[in-house]
Amino acid sequence: MAEKATTPPILQGPTAKEKKYDRQLRLWAASGQAALENAKVLFLNSNSGVVGVETLKNLILPGVGSFTIVDETKVSELDLGVNFFLEESSLGRWRAEETCKFLQELNPEVKINALRESIDAFADDPNRLEQYSLVLLIGPTRNARVLERICQHADKSSIPLFYIHCQGFFSQFSLQLPAQFPIVDTHPDPASTQDLRLLNPWPELLELLEKKTGNLGSLSDHDHGHVPYVLILLHFLNVWKASHDGQAPANYSEKKQFKALVESGARTNNSEGGEENFDEAAAAVLKSLNTPSISSGLREVFESDDCQNLKSTSANFWVIANGIQKFHTSHNGILPLPGALPDMKAQSSDYIQLQNIYKAKARSDLAAVTQTIRSSEQEVGRKSSIEQAEIEAFCKGAQFVKLIHGRPIRVAKCSAEIDWSDRAKALSQEIQDPDSLLPIYFAFLALDRYQDDIDRIQKLRKPTDDQQFNDIMAGRVVSGAVPPLPTFAESAHFSTPAVDPEHDPKPWPRFDIPEARETFDNVVKELDRADWGELHNIAALTGGMVAQEVIKVITKQYVPVNNTCVLDGIASKTAVFKI
Amino acid sequence: MGRDRFAKQSLGYLYPRIKQSRTLMVGAGGIGCELLKNLVLTGFGEIHIVDLDTIDLSNLNRQFLFRQEHIKKSKALVAKESAAKFNPHIKLEAHHANIKDPQFNIEWFQSFGLVFNALDNLDARRHVNKMCLAANVALIESGTTGFNGQVQPIIKGKTECYDCSTKEVPKSFPVCTIRSTPSQPIHCIVWAKSYLFTEMFGTSEDETPEFDHSEDSENAKEIENLRQESQALNSIRQSMGSDDFARKVFDKVFKDDINRLRSMEDMWKTRKQPNALDFDRISKGASGTKPYVAQQDQKAWTVAETFTVFCDSLRRLSARLQTSQAQSGADTAAPVLIFDKDDEDTLDFVAASANLRSIIFGIESKSKFDIKQMAGNIIPAIATTNAMTASLCVMQAFKVMRGDINKAKMVFLERSAARVINSDTLKPPNPNCNVCGVMSSALIVDPNRATLNDLVEDVLKTQLGYGDEFSINNEVGTLYDPDLDDNLSKKFSDLGVKADSFLTIIDDDEESPRVNLSLTILEKSLPGDTKAVQLPGKLDIARKPKDVPAPTSNGDTNGHVKAESIGLKRKRSLDEHENGVQQDHKRGKIQMPSKAMGSQVDDLVIEDDSNDGAIVIDD
């Protein structure tokens, strides 16, 4: 046995899987990939659903763990015209199974299931969602109840849910995240993550400063032109403070004066008429001399109850946040040092020395935070301790941590108005903008509501066969004496919303802005003309957008849309609303 | 109900136009696969696909028309086959070829109603841009990198063309930084890839795009030393395959060369001296390390591990090169190896060599994963961005096909959750653009008798009223200017000016120069009593806007190509002061391939990597 264990594996490069995913690993790293490969996506289809299939395609290619398609329909000629993952031979077969078959070809590693049943089953059984990690739901659902129940079940189990509409040239999706959805790795712009801590230098840095700039004036031209800009700034900060009661430049005009002071330090008796390192120093003045402050996102995290009052069951996120908050308080408002040093003009040996000083400080800050966390863990009686790597990642990106509060999907019912609660005011303000795309969202709500109404009437009438059902759906007169149902356009016209947030947050926003009214009417007309049909290209675009957000949610990296995105495919415009 | 019911309903009167359209798609990679699907399902009637590439494993995470079993096959052909299944009514044609091939001439471009660029490199983009302008066909240009994407409709005379704004060029480093005084990991990686690897396994290159020679003159002595160093290394190459080959190479580049550098005291007055490595000592320490440590690509290797990977990859590459040398005939060019980020042997060698050099200079070591990205100019690429970008291309195409140029937009995708898609109004053409800010016309030439003089006298001076100060240029360089009249009596064919090639006339009139005139050669037998060179119709050539400085007559009609293939960080003032006519000619020659259309000199191109553009990009 021992001999077997020491037999070296065959020499080869990275695994085929790593090679295949190489280009995306560079965006979300191995941790993101692992999250993706563990994800179980549930796709509840109640319409043609091309937008869902395109979304799945974009998740299968990068290697999502598994997905399940729920669909109770058979493939029609119409499907073939818009759905790329069906073909001639699929006609008349179960759409869930046929779509799965073709999607599977994209990536054999993904586990794929087809369920031919109505999505209503997921509304009826609150526990059926539990085995999935994310839900894609295509609207309109058969009625408002189905939508409402599924959203409630997802919320109860803290499963992220996307509710998606796509018809003709328009589409829309809303994202229901758990009530608390923290993101540590938001991938901020690298330039913005630099923290040189120039206003709070520490002994090792000051020691190097003294060594390198103690006699700045008498340095050789070469040495003078190679003092790293970080040290130049620190040096002139001391000069400045000496004549400003020990205060650093605080406002824009002082910083401008300070910049001039730095520039005046450059030697100009050379062919370039200046020095690159001093140019770098001058350019960095504005962004490097800010008094330490924390982002609003991080402040919100610090102030939240979960951060203040740790329990034995608190998520890692809160335990680390608590540790960093304590560090922040005990260190006069500074955060753990990220430790990265930008490139700069310098002798390599100086640069390396400076880099080591920053790295060492970052390590010691991390150690301090870790120590706090370890004692909190004991205090609250947590069973396992958080891994150092997780603490380190949080320390490095602390300034950019984001906590999203998930909001429920709005359900439009024929029997009741929507309660806009805290968003009523903001939405009625938004609609004042004549270019707003918000009316598109309302048009889709009107569609849901119309569908709910049709379903209600439907149940009253109990249509006897499919033909009659189809006729009713299409707004045609059903043979016999029964009067026709209103078309969507008619229905939407009468049901248009009116709201005055000052008096009543419940009814729909009022369309007293002619432009908003016009947009709404046009979208309604277009949705009506599209006749429940999807345009492939719009479905493909929307599928790309949805999949992008799904990946952000699954990997818990980057900040996802919060919480509703609308696409106007005629104007090639999108807008994001918090609803 | 017909399968195209929804498309008919939503697209209205545009739908029949789409069905009858003839469309060209250049590139069948990340954007191309998505785009083809969208075009097919939207009902575009006839689609031609051109791509010279074959399918690689790293494509499969997004290029969904391809599967495992398609690896190494033509992208164009497989894309066609995969897409054809989905709509039997659409005519698809695939060309596994380079879009710069002579068969794809202006006439061919003119046969399309619309062209989509779904390319991964600057050079091909520029070429298609130029061809579409010459053929007057609308172009939808697109590119992605990571979460970012961009779509730009280009319509001759109405919008900016691809070259109206300058494009970012790859970074370069002074030779001495790379060869003598590295201070960052990237310096060592460039050294390993562009110097050591090429000297050992490739063709030795004086002009590597990543080297910036603008400071050479300041360091003439060191440059001469470095040249001798390369020659010595080259002679070691002759002993490839021998038992002590690894030791020889190692001692040369990690000991002797380093000791030589160390001895140059001036260099280290203010820098930390490098420390040479000792083969025996490291070799002893590495005796327990196995070569498969090369698979650990996420961590920086130890010295012993780096050493082991260096020796092992050197052995693997030597064996490969010797095998292909043994197989190649005596009359063919000597085989060489080319660095490829996805070729494990070459990547291991570059990663190990770069890190050994980093150790010598006290620079931080990098993991193989990171080195792959830095050495290979890898652009992250994902399915979602491609899907969105391709759909946006089709949406812009609708506007162009409707004739709604005013509503067409430059569209951007971004990662931000605040907006998802951003758009910008299309800008009008840049009057100073060297590509579209020109007048273009065909030039009818009788190949049997036309001389350059016919063009100069009959057409330019007499018919178009040019003064004495102008030059005639093609992709090879300047054919004529007031000081270069040797070619006047030569026939077009003797000057290598063939059908479908371009001539550029640059007016150097001091008062009010005309915009550049671009002439496309059209060969035709003309009656003996007529002029041997003729214009097809009347031409009214605009004058350059006043604020533009007259261009230097260096035969460069496409200034950025210079920057792209050679100049890089060259400062403009240097160009103007130091580069005389001879140098310009030399440079013109190197550029030739990147601009040559229809010529057979493509193998001269100095191509670094496919991903040399600023936007763009998916392979």
Side-chain angles (χ1 to χ4, degrees):
Chain A
M1 283 309 280
E3 202 184 300
K4 206 170 187 183
T6 55
T7 308
I10 303 156
L11 183 60
Q12 58 175 22
T15 63
K17 197 164 101 181
E18 281 162 351
K19 270 191 172 172
K20 181 159 109 183
Y21 297 137
D22 182 90
R23 300 301 187 270
Q24 69 202 38
L25 286 172
R26 289 165 200 283
L27 288 175
W28 51 70
S31 58
Q33 187 65 27
L36 197 59
E37 288 174 20
N38 285 323
K40 294 176 180 160
V41 175
L42 176 68
F43 168 37
L44 300 175
N45 190 11
S46 42
N47 288 289
S48 57
V50 180
V51 64
V53 175
E54 290 289 313
T55 304
L56 288 183
K57 179 205 76 192
N58 297 330
L59 296 175
I60 292 164
L61 288 167
V64 72
S66 77
F67 71 84
T68 301
I69 298 184
V70 183
D71 190 331
E72 57 174 335
T73 352
K74 289 182 175 174
V75 178
S76 73
E77 185 81 17
L78 275 178
D79 286 320
L80 298 188
V82 281
N83 190 335
F84 195 76
F85 298 97
L86 291 174
E87 59 178 47
E88 213 76 35
S89 64
S90 310
L91 274 176
R93 301 187 185 190
W94 292 103
R95 197 165 62 186
E97 287 162 4
E98 287 298 297
T99 312
C100 278
K101 188 172 83 189
F102 290 103
L103 284 172
Q104 179 76 74
E105 287 181 11
L106 298 180
N107 194 342
E109 283 155 71
V110 176
K111 287 194 204 74
I112 294 179
N113 310 298
L115 295 179
R116 5 162 169 131
E117 61 176 315
S118 160
I119 69 164
D120 296 9
F122 287 81
D124 299 336
D125 180 353
N127 300 320
R128 275 197 76 178
L129 290 181
E130 271 171 11
Q131 55 172 306
Y132 301 99
S133 45
L134 187 134
V135 180
L136 300 170
L137 173 60
I138 306 295
T141 49
R142 188 188 306 280
N143 54 41
R145 179 191 158 271
V146 171
L147 173 63
E148 192 169 47
R149 297 288 293 265
I150 292 177
C151 291
Q152 282 166 357
H153 301 333
D155 187 42
K156 193 194 76 200
S157 315
S158 293
I159 298 168
L161 178 143
F162 285 73
Y163 182 53
I164 310 157
H165 285 102
C166 182
Q167 273 189 45
F169 275 100
F170 296 95
S171 70
Q172 170 274 324
F173 65 89
S174 294
L175 167 52
Q176 176 181 291
L177 285 172
Q180 282 184 337
F181 188 78
I183 308 152
V184 175
D185 195 357
T186 55
H187 291 257
D189 174 11
S192 64
T193 60
Q194 263 167 36
D195 178 2
L196 299 173
R197 210 185 265 181
L198 295 181
L199 298 180
N200 298 282
W202 56 101
E204 293 82 358
L205 184 58
L206 291 173
E207 203 177 296
L208 182 70
L209 175 70
E210 177 53 31
K211 217 166 89 190
K212 295 292 166 188
T213 65
N215 52 350
L216 196 59
S218 54
L219 290 180
S220 72
D221 281 348
H222 182 275
D223 288 356
H224 194 266
H226 285 80
V227 177
Y229 85 74
V230 170
L231 299 182
I232 295 178
L233 287 177
L234 282 170
H235 172 80
F236 283 98
L237 267 173
N238 287 341
V239 174
W240 172 278
K241 282 180 186 166
S243 61
H244 290 79
D245 302 330
Q247 299 299 309
N251 51 38
Y252 182 72
S253 81
E254 282 188 0
K255 282 181 190 168
K256 258 178 82 175
Q257 289 171 36
F258 178 72
K259 190 177 166 197
L261 175 69
V262 171
E263 281 165 342
S264 71
R267 292 186 187 169
T268 53
N269 57 341
N270 47 33
S271 57
E272 282 86 30
E275 289 173 304
E276 203 179 329
N277 53 339
F278 277 78
D279 291 347
E280 287 175 352
V285 166
L286 285 182
K287 64 173 181 197
S288 310
L289 297 186
N290 296 323
T291 30
S293 65
I294 56 171
S295 65
S296 56
L298 185 60
R299 184 177 309 280
E300 198 190 332
V301 170
F302 282 174
E303 285 168 2
S304 127
D305 263 5
D306 298 82
C307 181
Q308 302 290 334
N309 307 308
L310 292 187
K311 300 187 203 64
S312 64
T313 51
S314 291
N316 288 0
F317 177 85
W318 295 116
V319 180
I320 305 175
N322 175 281
I324 291 181
Q325 196 221 347
K326 285 180 178 153
F327 179 96
H328 180 253
T329 316
S330 63
H331 287 71
N332 291 323
I334 57 173
L335 289 169
L337 191 72
L341 192 65
D343 281 343
M344 61 191 74
K345 175 105 173 174
Q347 313 277 8
S348 2
S349 53
D350 290 354
Y351 182 80
I352 292 163
Q353 216 176 334
L354 194 58
Q355 202 175 34
N356 288 338
I357 289 175
Y358 271 85
K359 279 188 184 161
K361 190 68 190 165
R363 273 197 300 273
S364 81
D365 284 0
L366 172 63
V369 173
T370 309
Q371 204 181 359
T372 313
I373 291 174
R374 296 297 175 237
S375 52
S376 312
E377 281 172 342
Q378 280 206 328
E379 234 168 79
V380 300
R382 271 173 69 99
K383 291 204 180 66
S384 58
S385 52
I386 300 170
E387 277 186 42
Q388 177 86 7
E390 197 176 340
I391 302 174
E392 188 176 354
F394 203 138
C395 283
K396 282 196 167 140
Q399 187 67 275
F400 301 90
V401 161
K402 177 106 183 149
L403 176 65
I404 295 185
H405 298 288
R407 305 179 64 85
I409 304 274
R410 305 291 177 167
V411 180
K413 298 176 190 168
C414 63
S415 56
E417 300 295 351
I418 294 175
D419 183 352
W420 297 103
S421 56
D422 59 327
R423 300 305 298 160
K425 195 157 188 180
L427 294 176
S428 27
Q429 264 161 10
E430 166 66 31
I431 210 105
Q432 309 284 319
D433 174 3
D435 293 328
S436 174
L437 301 187
L438 189 56
I440 299 175
Y441 170 70
F442 288 127
F444 279 114
L445 280 186
L447 189 68
D448 280 1
R449 179 180 166 126
Y450 170 64
Q451 176 61 33
D452 192 40
D453 201 26
I454 294 279
D455 184 67
R456 182 181 57 87
I457 300 171
Q458 217 21 81
K459 279 185 188 130
L460 294 175
R461 297 180 178 203
K462 296 201 174 53
T464 49
D465 57 28
D466 281 357
Q467 180 58 43
Q468 197 180 356
F469 178 80
N470 287 337
D471 285 345
I472 291 171
M473 289 301 289
R476 281 188 292 271
V477 179
V478 179
S479 56
V482 200
L485 287 169
T487 65
F488 171 51
E490 286 163 0
S491 145
H493 185 73
F494 290 114
S495 67
T496 359
V499 119
D500 182 354
E502 301 299 328
H503 300 105
D504 180 6
K506 280 191 176 170
W508 300 39
R510 194 173 57 206
F511 284 114
D512 49 3
I513 308 298
E515 287 89 351
R517 176 85 232 179
E518 198 187 327
T519 314
F520 178 85
D521 287 344
N522 285 340
V523 179
V524 163
K525 231 181 277 169
E526 174 60 31
L527 294 185
D528 201 29
R529 190 160 75 112
D531 199 13
W532 306 94
E534 286 175 277
L535 272 182
H536 180 80
N537 195 59
I538 300 296
L541 175 56
T542 313
M545 289 160 53
V546 173
Q548 190 102 295
E549 301 308 315
V550 168
I551 290 171
K552 290 179 189 172
V553 170
I554 290 177
T555 59
K556 294 214 171 76
Q557 294 182 32
Y558 303 98
V559 181
V561 157
N562 184 20
N563 58 357
T564 293
C565 180
V566 169
L567 166 74
D568 175 349
I570 294 173
S572 301
K573 271 164 77 178
T574 55
V576 173
F577 305 108
K578 193 167 169 188
I579 287 172
Chain B
M1 277 189 287
R3 60 172 66 185
D4 55 355
R5 199 189 102 203
F6 291 142
K8 261 189 196 157
Q9 256 161 344
S10 286
L11 292 167
Y13 72 92
L14 192 58
Y15 189 66
R17 215 180 284 176
I18 288 172
K19 263 181 106 163
Q20 286 152 24
S21 67
R22 213 175 114 90
T23 304
L24 170 63
M25 183 179 104
V26 192
I31 299 177
C33 281
E34 298 282 344
L35 185 57
L36 185 60
K37 165 181 67 81
N38 295 354
L39 294 175
V40 164
L41 285 175
T42 305
F44 278 74
E46 179 175 344
I47 305 163
H48 287 238
I49 309 152
V50 180
D51 197 319
L52 57 68
D53 222 355
T54 52
I55 296 155
D56 182 81
L57 179 58
S58 67
N59 300 147
L60 302 189
N61 79 327
R62 60 198 188 281
Q63 301 178 13
F64 72 96
L65 296 174
F66 311 143
R67 319 252 182 282
Q68 195 81 28
E69 64 267 27
H70 295 137
I71 287 172
K72 300 249 184 295
K73 291 186 178 165
S74 153
K75 284 189 176 179
L77 297 172
V78 175
K80 178 200 151 168
E81 277 167 30
S82 301
K85 283 190 254 167
F86 294 93
N87 195 338
H89 310 297
I90 283 172
K91 191 174 167 202
L92 290 173
E93 227 170 281
H95 308 266
H96 181 204
N98 188 338
I99 191 62
K100 293 171 87 176
D101 289 349
Q103 52 173 316
F104 307 123
N105 57 18
I106 292 175
E107 203 186 344
W108 185 77
F109 271 88
Q110 274 166 340
S111 71
F112 296 101
L114 187 63
V115 177
F116 290 94
N117 256 357
L119 285 159
D120 65 353
N121 69 87
L122 212 54
D123 186 43
R125 281 195 165 88
R126 288 202 161 119
H127 174 80
V128 176
N129 175 54
K130 200 168 165 183
M131 295 303 275
C132 286
L133 290 168
N136 199 8
V137 180
L139 169 66
I140 310 287
E141 162 64 41
S142 60
T144 71
T145 157
F147 288 104
N148 300 321
Q150 185 178 331
V151 177
Q152 177 189 12
I154 296 172
I155 294 132
K156 186 183 177 179
K158 297 197 171 145
T159 71
E160 272 192 332
C161 83
Y162 184 70
D163 271 322
C164 278
S165 57
T166 44
K167 302 287 184 271
E168 210 177 285
V169 294
K171 206 177 170 197
S172 69
F173 304 94
V175 177
C176 287
T177 303
I178 299 301
R179 295 283 302 275
S180 310
T181 55
S183 59
Q184 294 170 22
I186 183 68
H187 300 151
C188 298
I189 295 167
V190 170
W191 174 85
K193 174 190 152 191
S194 301
Y195 168 70
L196 185 62
F197 180 85
T198 349
E199 292 293 338
M200 294 307 334
F201 305 107
T203 346
S204 177
E205 290 275 5
D206 282 341
E207 293 272 352
T208 301
E210 283 163 337
F211 288 162
D212 170 6
H213 291 278
S214 63
E215 292 171 16
D216 285 10
S217 55
E218 299 164 27
N219 307 298
K221 197 171 149 226
E222 177 61 6
I223 295 286
E224 175 53 27
N225 286 332
L226 294 174
R227 202 184 54 79
Q228 288 175 7
E229 225 169 54
S230 315
Q231 281 173 352
L233 184 58
N234 209 271
S235 65
I236 291 180
R237 180 172 168 169
Q238 307 311 320
S239 65
M240 189 177 292
S242 66
D243 287 345
D244 58 351
F245 182 56
R247 175 191 290 271
K248 276 185 179 163
V249 176
F250 188 98
D251 281 348
K252 173 80 180 85
V253 298
F254 299 127
K255 194 176 90 189
D256 300 346
D257 290 351
I258 302 303
N259 284 331
R260 185 193 69 76
L261 282 174
R262 259 181 88 96
S263 69
M264 309 194 43
E265 286 167 14
D266 282 357
M267 214 178 255
W268 313 112
K269 272 189 183 150
T270 56
R271 297 182 178 97
K272 196 173 151 247
Q273 273 191 330
N275 290 311
L277 297 178
D278 184 77
F279 188 90
D280 290 318
R281 207 166 50 80
I282 300 183
S283 173
K284 220 170 172 184
S287 59
T289 318
K290 293 285 178 287
Y292 54 81
V293 70
Q295 288 173 53
Q296 299 177 2
D297 68 346
Q298 298 285 345
K299 62 157 208 171
W301 299 322
T302 63
V303 179
E305 288 165 345
T306 312
F307 175 83
T308 307
V309 177
F310 172 79
C311 294
D312 188 63
S313 58
L314 184 69
R315 180 188 56 74
R316 281 180 269 153
L317 290 170
S318 304
R320 262 169 68 172
L321 186 59
Q322 288 183 310
T323 310
S324 48
Q325 272 164 352
Q327 286 164 353
S328 74
D331 50 343
T332 53
V336 292
L337 298 180
I338 293 164
F339 173 77
D340 178 347
K341 58 189 181 285
D342 293 316
D343 176 336
E344 218 54 42
D345 298 339
T346 65
L347 180 62
D348 284 347
F349 179 77
V350 166
S353 312
N355 279 337
L356 286 172
R357 190 167 171 86
S358 291
I359 293 163
I360 289 169
F361 284 89
I363 298 167
E364 171 194 8
S365 288
K366 287 276 170 189
S367 72
K368 183 167 123 182
F369 185 80
D370 288 340
I371 290 177
K372 181 174 181 181
Q373 176 147 351
M374 293 162 92
N377 298 337
I378 292 183
I379 310 287
I382 45 172
T384 46
T385 311
N386 287 326
M388 289 189 260
T389 305
S391 322
L392 290 168
C393 285
V394 178
M395 284 157 72
Q396 293 307 311
F398 289 160
K399 298 203 165 91
V400 171
M401 292 174 88
R402 280 201 174 100
D404 283 350
I405 309 305
N406 298 334
K407 289 189 188 155
K409 294 261 169 61
M410 176 93 115
V411 192
F412 305 92
L413 284 178
E414 50 176 49
R415 187 187 91 194
S416 141
R419 204 72 182 277
V420 187
I421 298 173
N422 274 320
S423 61
D424 203 353
T425 318
L426 292 173
K427 293 196 187 98
N430 173 1
N432 301 330
C433 175
N434 279 325
V435 178
C436 73
V438 301
M439 182 79 196
S440 45
S441 165
L443 184 71
I444 305 165
V445 168
D446 186 335
N448 298 320
R449 53 196 181 96
T451 63
L452 195 60
N453 194 50
D454 293 335
L455 171 61
V456 171
E457 292 301 327
D458 296 345
V459 174
L460 295 175
K461 288 191 179 169
T462 310
Q463 198 178 339
L464 295 173
Y466 275 79
D468 288 328
E469 295 293 322
F470 64 87
S471 62
I472 302 176
N473 312 273
N474 72 354
E475 57 270 14
V476 183
T478 305
L479 298 174
Y480 165 84
D481 66 36
D483 302 321
L484 176 72
D485 53 8
D486 319 357
N487 292 331
L488 282 177
S489 59
K490 291 184 188 159
K491 281 192 193 163
F492 276 57
S493 49
D494 297 334
L495 291 165
V497 179
K498 297 182 188 135
D500 285 316
S501 67
F502 290 94
L503 288 180
T504 304
I505 319 299
I506 300 171
D507 191 0
D508 290 328
D509 186 82
E510 278 184 15
E511 287 297 298
S512 170
R514 293 163 180 80
V515 299
N516 293 357
L517 172 63
S518 170
L519 298 169
T520 322
I521 306 297
L522 204 72
E523 292 187 345
K524 198 174 172 184
S525 281
L526 297 166
D529 55 347
T530 59
K531 305 276 189 204
V533 176
Q534 302 177 3
L535 289 170
K538 202 173 167 298
L539 270 192
D540 195 7
I541 307 171
R543 305 284 171 158
K544 282 184 182 158
K546 277 288 180 214
D547 55 326
V548 197
T552 48
S553 59
N554 61 0
D556 189 354
T557 59
N558 195 350
H560 5 250
V561 172
K562 168 171 64 187
E564 178 195 354
S565 56
I566 314 152
L568 303 157
K569 236 170 129 186
R570 256 179 232 273
K571 297 186 177 76
R572 193 158 296 134
S573 59
L574 266 177
D575 272 355
E576 282 161 7
H577 297 139
E578 292 175 14
N579 294 344
V581 175
Q582 284 96 344
Q583 276 214 23
D584 286 336
H585 276 281
K586 183 175 155 223
R587 199 179 320 152
K589 222 172 208 163
I590 301 168
Q591 284 163 28
M592 171 169 65
S594 54
K595 292 195 292 171
M597 283 159 299
S599 66
Q600 284 126 12
V601 284
D602 275 8
D603 49 351
L604 277 176
V605 185
I606 303 172
E607 260 185 284
D608 172 31
D609 191 88
S610 52
N611 298 315
D612 52 0
I615 45 166
V616 185
I617 328 323
D618 177 17
D619 55 353

